[in-house]
Amino acid sequence: MKGVLLSRNPDLQIVDITHSIRPQDIRHGAIVVDDVCHRFPPRTIHVVVVDPGVGTQREVVFAKLGAQRYVAPNNGLLTLAALRTPPDLIVAVTNRLYFLPEVAPTFHGRDIMAPTAAHISLGLHPERLGPRLDSLISIPAIDAVAEPTRILGRVLQIDSFGNVVTNISAQQWSLVPTGLPVRVCCNSHEVTEIVATYGQRPPGTIVALLGSSGRLEVAEVNGNAAARLGITEDQEVTVTW
Amino acid sequence: MKGVLLSRNPDLQIVDITHSIRPQDIRHGAIVVDDVCHRFPPRTIHVVVVDPGVGTQREVVFAKLGAQRYVAPNNGLLTLAALRTPPDLIVAVTNRLYFLPEVAPTFHGRDIMAPTAAHISLGLHPERLGPRLDSLISIPAIDAVAEPTRILGRVLQIDSFGNVVTNISAQQWSLVPTGLPVRVCCNSHEVTEIVATYGQRPPGTIVALLGSSGRLEVAEVNGNAAARLGITEDQEVTVTW
Amino acid sequence: MKGVLLSRNPDLQIVDITHSIRPQDIRHGAIVVDDVCHRFPPRTIHVVVVDPGVGTQREVVFAKLGAQRYVAPNNGLLTLAALRTPPDLIVAVTNRLYFLPEVAPTFHGRDIMAPTAAHISLGLHPERLGPRLDSLISIPAIDAVAEPTRILGRVLQIDSFGNVVTNISAQQWSLVPTGLPVRVCCNSHEVTEIVATYGQRPPGTIVALLGSSGRLEVAEVNGNAAARLGITEDQEVTVTW
């Protein structure tokens, strides 16, 4: 993909975000897109490929979300980013003029998305890529539910440090009344040490905190909470007070 | 290596292809070089280091294969790329004028290849690097054999998705008559679902298809075929019809 | 972090050194900083984040070590680099003017170090970042001890090839008299094959050699010495003659 990008536009600056999305895991990709892409300069083009449906009827899309631009399969990868910043423009990428001459049915990242993104970077108007679409495909809601006396959530992902990242948002977490004892429960473990950062407790302590991407996390200070507590993705997380 | 490259030519644009070649695995490196490097713009310099013989009598070479240029150990890494595009020029890199002042016997990538590549990028004529060579070292043939009623191949590599990539080429695969039932056999498993892309069958189906690098693959839709079928590199693969 | 850097200075050239430092392992980070950073062009800014104390009272520092500049947590990461090249200038990074508007207590790399480094790259004078410091925090000595008839060291790290990298330096190794049989002992294994490079012995041989970063190593030719000999970090290594 990098070779194709540079062959079409040698002046491109290519930046790697990650090559560690779990294979086929659209939700994992959607979380990273949401956390990271809005930090880039305006008019960055994000080429995002987590693509289990490659070669089937699923579309490739160009989407403009505020100042950021995306070329991606239309499979839900942009769900969370589009909740943060609603799309200004969505176009189905169908114009073969901008594809590689031969398109392998198993690698649209290389043969469709990379050359299309390169043409956009050269100033091609996105509406030349294909017909406008009204909306993006979304993956099912991954929001937590705030009730009067508790918040019901789930484990969204285990990060590379073993921190347990939940789908409970900063806004939901702010609903917890101050001054009361709070319990964060997951996989039969109960966490009562609520902190602002890892280093506020000794190594080995299990803590709960609001993480840097604005989600409630369970972490082990200088350790791997997921491994220690046997927590895996999708498990239920309950906050009570 | 990146520091050495930029110290000699601060205007270089460095692009990472991969840091995940299995240690010492020249064949793995040769496959990636062949798949990827020809996609880059003309006059790209590819610095390729998979180098189990570092510090011994094996040479470092500069090679020009069509529009692409390479600096690599002369150990077979360029075998497949040179089959695709025969060399126009091969030079043994022996001129210490372009090396780092001190050359560690265990890291020629940093001390010989990187500074040499930087000098080439600055316009140094390759013939200044050392004497011309007539040919590159090759690794043993890794071609499949097409017979009148079957193709005999092997597993070339397991990719990061667990897809089983064989040494059976698109050209050999095209010899299979259409309209007859086809069987792809490996490790006592028989695959009869022949598809164009993964998504044509439900998740969990084992399929055979022509992959994006032009080689026959066995894959599990949204899964890891190698793990599920217990297939490892070098096992025999037979196509019959 | 890359997005923040480019948002403040779109002309930056970002180079990845590694994303594979073991979580929280300051010593591992310090070794890589020492091996790699001095190879870069003068005035490179190295943003180094291995940061188990994030959000606590530990400082963020700017340090100038000869021609190289660093933005890092003040937690020992620069210990070895500062032994190689003593600091010319150390400044505590406290001026919130150059931080992101909101600072998450768990990700100073993104919210403090990246924007500060971008401002430095734009020409900001480092003394604008905060008050001068006299010294950097150091991690405990990880030096080997040379005695009249032996050298007592430890395993510093296992590299990605499985080579056992010790804390015995080139200078200490040069004290071993030539012409006498030498034994390198670790985890009850005794290595007597002393070589200049891996390829001087057949595959599978266990050898000792001076590695490319100037430290004594134990390696298996074309293999993984640490796995084969059961050697882990911090084990004792003794050289006798």
Side-chain angles (χ1 to χ4, degrees):
Chain A
M1 288 176 61
K2 293 176 178 176
V4 171
L5 286 164
L6 291 169
S7 290
R8 303 259 166 149
N9 183 357
D11 295 326
L12 272 180
Q13 181 181 26
I14 296 177
V15 176
D16 288 299
I17 291 178
T18 178
H19 298 279
S20 301
I21 303 298
R22 284 178 296 278
Q24 328 298 353
D25 191 337
I26 294 168
R27 192 175 70 167
H28 186 197
I31 294 167
V32 172
V33 166
D34 182 43
D35 280 357
V36 170
C37 293
H38 69 102
R39 303 279 182 177
F40 277 78
R43 299 184 55 74
T44 299
I45 303 171
H46 301 276
V47 183
V48 190
V49 189
V50 182
D51 199 8
V54 62
T56 64
Q57 294 304 312
R58 76 95 189 79
E59 292 160 306
V60 172
V61 289
F62 169 89
K64 183 171 173 302
L65 276 56
Q68 304 294 329
R69 299 177 288 174
Y70 298 85
V71 178
N74 192 8
N75 63 8
L77 264 179
L78 304 181
T79 301
L80 295 171
L83 286 175
R84 179 192 293 268
T85 313
D88 306 305
L89 176 66
I90 311 168
V91 175
V93 173
T94 58
N95 191 340
R96 297 184 65 92
L97 192 60
Y98 306 110
F99 298 0
L100 288 199
E102 285 186 56
V103 173
T106 53
F107 199 177
H108 289 182
R110 181 190 67 196
D111 299 343
I112 297 178
M113 296 179 228
T116 293
H119 281 283
I120 294 289
S121 77
L122 289 165
L124 181 73
H125 196 287
E127 306 233 20
R128 301 283 294 278
L129 296 174
R132 272 193 184 236
L133 298 176
D134 290 331
S135 62
L136 289 166
I137 299 287
S138 287
I139 50 181
I142 49 181
D143 292 341
V145 177
E147 300 184 346
T149 62
R150 60 178 188 169
I151 305 172
L152 302 174
R154 284 187 178 277
V155 177
L156 206 54
Q157 67 161 152
I158 309 298
D159 77 12
S160 61
F161 295 93
N163 299 327
V164 175
V165 182
T166 77
N167 63 347
I168 297 170
S169 70
Q171 189 270 332
Q172 291 172 320
W173 181 239
S174 72
L175 300 175
V176 177
T178 54
L180 294 184
V182 177
R183 292 189 307 279
V184 178
C185 300
C186 185
N187 196 29
S188 310
H189 296 280
E190 192 167 277
V191 183
T192 56
E193 299 275 8
I194 315 295
V195 299
T197 189
Y198 312 113
Q200 293 180 341
R201 290 294 181 280
T205 315
I206 301 292
V207 299
L209 75 171
L210 195 64
S212 61
S213 58
R215 300 187 177 94
L216 184 68
E217 293 181 13
V218 172
E220 177 182 348
V221 178
N222 291 10
N224 185 311
R228 174 146 154 222
L229 307 180
I231 294 177
T232 55
E233 295 188 12
D234 253 345
Q235 286 187 336
E236 292 180 7
V237 179
T238 313
V239 178
T240 52
W241 56 86
Chain B
M1 289 177 61
K2 292 174 178 177
V4 171
L5 286 164
L6 291 169
S7 291
R8 303 258 165 148
N9 183 357
D11 295 325
L12 271 180
Q13 181 182 26
I14 297 177
V15 176
D16 287 300
I17 291 179
T18 179
H19 298 279
S20 301
I21 303 298
R22 284 179 297 277
Q24 328 299 353
D25 191 338
I26 294 168
R27 192 175 70 167
H28 187 198
I31 294 166
V32 172
V33 167
D34 181 44
D35 280 357
V36 170
C37 294
H38 68 102
R39 302 280 182 176
F40 277 78
R43 297 184 56 76
T44 299
I45 303 171
H46 301 276
V47 183
V48 190
V49 189
V50 181
D51 199 9
V54 62
T56 64
Q57 295 304 312
R58 75 95 189 78
E59 292 159 309
V60 173
V61 288
F62 169 89
K64 183 170 174 303
L65 277 56
Q68 304 295 328
R69 298 178 290 174
Y70 298 85
V71 178
N74 192 8
N75 63 8
L77 265 179
L78 304 182
T79 302
L80 294 171
L83 285 175
R84 180 193 292 269
T85 312
D88 305 306
L89 175 67
I90 312 168
V91 175
V93 173
T94 59
N95 191 340
R96 298 184 64 92
L97 191 60
Y98 306 109
F99 298 0
L100 289 199
E102 286 186 56
V103 173
T106 54
F107 199 177
H108 288 182
R110 180 190 68 196
D111 300 343
I112 297 178
M113 295 179 229
T116 294
H119 281 283
I120 294 287
S121 76
L122 290 165
L124 180 74
H125 196 286
E127 306 233 20
R128 301 283 294 278
L129 297 174
R132 274 195 183 232
L133 298 176
D134 290 331
S135 62
L136 290 165
I137 299 287
S138 287
I139 49 181
I142 48 181
D143 292 340
V145 176
E147 300 185 345
T149 62
R150 60 180 188 170
I151 305 172
L152 301 174
R154 285 187 176 277
V155 177
L156 206 55
Q157 67 162 151
I158 309 298
D159 77 13
S160 61
F161 295 93
N163 299 327
V164 175
V165 182
T166 76
N167 63 348
I168 297 171
S169 69
Q171 189 269 332
Q172 292 173 320
W173 182 240
S174 73
L175 300 176
V176 177
T178 54
L180 295 183
V182 177
R183 291 188 307 278
V184 178
C185 300
C186 184
N187 197 30
S188 308
H189 296 280
E190 192 167 279
V191 184
T192 56
E193 298 275 7
I194 315 295
V195 299
T197 189
Y198 313 112
Q200 292 181 341
R201 291 294 181 280
T205 315
I206 301 292
V207 297
L209 76 171
L210 194 65
S212 61
S213 59
R215 298 187 178 95
L216 183 69
E217 293 182 13
V218 172
E220 177 182 348
V221 177
N222 291 9
N224 185 312
R228 174 146 154 223
L229 306 181
I231 293 177
T232 55
E233 295 187 12
D234 253 345
Q235 286 186 336
E236 292 180 8
V237 179
T238 312
V239 179
T240 51
W241 57 85
Chain C
M1 288 176 62
K2 292 175 179 176
V4 172
L5 286 164
L6 291 169
S7 290
R8 303 260 165 148
N9 182 356
D11 294 326
L12 271 180
Q13 181 181 25
I14 296 177
V15 176
D16 288 299
I17 291 179
T18 179
H19 298 279
S20 301
I21 303 298
R22 283 179 296 276
Q24 327 298 353
D25 191 337
I26 294 167
R27 191 175 71 166
H28 187 197
I31 294 167
V32 172
V33 167
D34 181 42
D35 280 356
V36 170
C37 294
H38 68 102
R39 302 280 183 175
F40 276 78
R43 298 183 56 74
T44 299
I45 303 171
H46 302 276
V47 183
V48 190
V49 189
V50 181
D51 199 9
V54 62
T56 64
Q57 295 304 311
R58 76 95 188 79
E59 293 160 307
V60 173
V61 289
F62 170 89
K64 183 171 175 302
L65 276 56
Q68 305 294 329
R69 298 178 290 173
Y70 298 84
V71 178
N74 192 8
N75 64 7
L77 264 180
L78 305 182
T79 302
L80 295 171
L83 285 176
R84 180 193 293 268
T85 312
D88 306 305
L89 175 66
I90 311 168
V91 175
V93 173
T94 58
N95 191 339
R96 298 184 64 92
L97 191 60
Y98 307 110
F99 298 180
L100 288 199
E102 285 186 58
V103 173
T106 53
F107 199 178
H108 288 182
R110 180 190 68 195
D111 299 343
I112 297 178
M113 295 178 228
T116 294
H119 280 284
I120 293 288
S121 76
L122 289 165
L124 181 74
H125 196 286
E127 306 233 20
R128 301 283 294 278
L129 297 174
R132 273 194 183 234
L133 298 176
D134 290 332
S135 62
L136 289 165
I137 299 286
S138 286
I139 49 180
I142 49 181
D143 291 341
V145 177
E147 301 184 345
T149 62
R150 58 179 190 171
I151 305 171
L152 301 174
R154 284 188 177 277
V155 177
L156 206 54
Q157 67 162 152
I158 308 298
D159 77 13
S160 62
F161 296 94
N163 299 327
V164 175
V165 182
T166 77
N167 64 347
I168 297 171
S169 69
Q171 189 269 331
Q172 291 172 320
W173 181 240
S174 72
L175 300 175
V176 176
T178 54
L180 294 183
V182 177
R183 291 188 306 279
V184 178
C185 300
C186 185
N187 196 31
S188 309
H189 295 280
E190 192 167 278
V191 183
T192 56
E193 299 274 7
I194 315 296
V195 299
T197 189
Y198 313 113
Q200 292 181 340
R201 292 293 181 280
T205 314
I206 301 292
V207 297
L209 75 172
L210 195 64
S212 61
S213 59
R215 298 185 178 96
L216 183 68
E217 293 182 13
V218 172
E220 177 182 349
V221 178
N222 291 9
N224 186 311
R228 174 146 154 221
L229 306 181
I231 294 177
T232 55
E233 295 188 12
D234 253 344
Q235 287 186 336
E236 292 180 7
V237 179
T238 313
V239 178
T240 52
W241 57 86

